[in-house]
């Protein structure tokens, strides 16, 4: 959503209903990624996010341009990505040299929830002395990364994994409340993610090992269960 759909909307490359061919594809004659959940054929952007289609997301990134996508990642506070290390098509599905922290991801997804306004994370609101005088307040950067209209569209797209029948995060639904969520899995299930938001909170959850080994679990995405 951050590296493909957000810049795609802002650069007027896609809409939520733009259709791509979700079929096995080799990019630039050598890169042949797979979809974990099968292939949809002709598929809208909204459907691609619902089912987590690698192929469609890479096609969006191809049309946006990887260097342009990295510029947007920096605007979202994801500063570890560089053109020198990460300007490859696999970035479109999370393949990066350094990756992101959960703090960075939470702030980036909060930007989508906050009408496109990025707010630098902080760990305190203010410090007062014993007389109630404010002695310290954080200086948080604020900037408009997306238009309010495009942020609204992406919010809607991100509800599909929760609300639609083939969504990858249907277990995160909350009765009577809008929930947006996106799952993530790395090769050999060494990392599991879920990032999402409600009208009240944004959270990013990662599940894995520091030494980067395969996660063994049954049933639902464990990061998603924690988030839920």
């Amino acid at each position: 959503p951050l590296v493909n759909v957000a810049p795609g909307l802002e650069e007027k490359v896609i809409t939520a209903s733009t259709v791509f061919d979700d079929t096995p594809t080799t990019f630039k004659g050598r890169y042949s990624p797979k979809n974990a959940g099968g292939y949809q054929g002709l598929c809208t952007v909204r459907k691609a996010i619902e089912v987590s289609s690698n192929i469609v997301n890479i096609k969006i990134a191809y049309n946006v341009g990887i260097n342009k996508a990295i510029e947007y990642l920096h605007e979202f506070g994801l500063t570890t990505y560089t053109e020198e290390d990460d300007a490859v098509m696999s970035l479109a599905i999370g393949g990066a040299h350094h990756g992101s922290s959960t703090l960075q991801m939470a702030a980036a997804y909060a930007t989508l929830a906050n009408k496109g306004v990025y707010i630098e994370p902080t760990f305190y609101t203010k410090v007062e002395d014993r007389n109630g005088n404010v002695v310290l307040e954080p200086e948080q950067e604020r900037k408009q990364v997306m238009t309010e209209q495009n942020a609204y569209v992406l919010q809607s797209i991100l509800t599909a994994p929760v609300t639609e029948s083939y969504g990858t995060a249907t277990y995160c639904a909350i009765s009577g409340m809008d929930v947006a969520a996106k799952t993530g899995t790395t090769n050999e299930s060494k990392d599991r993610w879920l990032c999402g938001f409600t009208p009240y909170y944004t959270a990013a959850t990662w599940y894995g090992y520091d030494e980067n080994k395969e996660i063994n679990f049954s049933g639902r995405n464990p990061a998603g269960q924690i988030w839920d």
Side-chain angles (χ1 to χ4, degrees):
L2 300 172
V3 73
N4 311 311
V5 182
L9 292 170
E10 283 292 295
E11 297 296 318
K12 298 181 173 59
V13 172
I14 60 167
T15 69
S17 58
T18 299
V19 174
F20 289 88
D21 191 6
D22 184 19
T23 54
T25 304
T26 298
F27 295 88
K28 294 187 175 180
R30 60 183 183 274
Y31 179 45
S32 302
K34 304 289 190 295
N35 285 348
Y39 301 91
Q40 305 295 312
L42 296 180
C43 177
T44 65
V45 170
R46 181 181 177 88
K47 184 69 174 181
I49 293 298
E50 173 194 338
V51 299
S52 200
S53 165
N54 287 335
I55 298 298
V56 173
N57 275 285
I58 295 170
K59 287 183 176 181
I60 296 171
Y62 190 86
N63 284 279
V64 169
I66 286 295
N67 290 341
K68 175 62 69 173
I70 291 173
E71 291 177 16
Y72 274 90
L73 291 182
H74 290 176
E75 291 294 298
F76 280 114
L78 302 174
T79 55
T80 58
Y81 299 93
T82 66
E83 292 184 9
E84 292 77 17
D85 290 333
D86 301 307
V88 292
M89 295 311 298
S90 59
L91 179 64
I93 53 174
H97 190 72
H98 296 292
S100 307
S101 69
T102 47
L103 176 64
Q104 288 180 323
M105 292 298 285
Y109 271 77
T111 303
L112 308 181
N114 196 39
K115 300 180 180 180
V117 177
Y118 172 82
I119 304 175
E120 184 182 9
T122 186
F123 297 97
Y124 67 99
T125 54
K126 62 182 177 179
V127 178
E128 297 179 348
D129 64 18
R130 64 182 180 179
N131 298 315
N133 301 308
V134 177
V135 296
L136 189 63
E137 285 187 291
E139 295 182 4
Q140 293 174 268
E141 178 189 11
R142 292 172 178 255
K143 57 184 176 181
Q144 190 82 41
V145 175
M146 299 180 66
T147 65
E148 182 176 339
Q149 293 83 357
N150 281 335
Y152 177 84
V153 172
L154 189 42
Q155 289 170 18
S156 176
I157 291 172
L158 283 169
T159 65
V162 180
T163 61
E164 302 299 329
S165 55
Y166 292 101
T168 55
T170 53
Y171 49 85
C172 289
I174 301 173
S175 179
M177 185 181 298
D178 288 332
V179 177
K182 183 69 186 72
T183 56
T185 307
T186 57
N187 289 350
E188 300 171 356
S189 290
K190 291 181 177 179
D191 303 87
R192 299 304 296 259
W193 284 83
L194 195 136
C195 301
F197 50 86
T198 72
Y200 301 95
Y201 295 105
T202 297
T205 305
W206 169 81
Y207 189 100
Y209 294 97
D210 288 342
E211 62 271 25
N212 202 25
K213 61 182 179 181
E214 184 177 357
I215 303 162
N216 292 310
F217 67 94
S218 59
R220 298 169 176 170
N221 174 359
Q225 292 184 66
I226 294 170
W227 192 97
D228 183 40

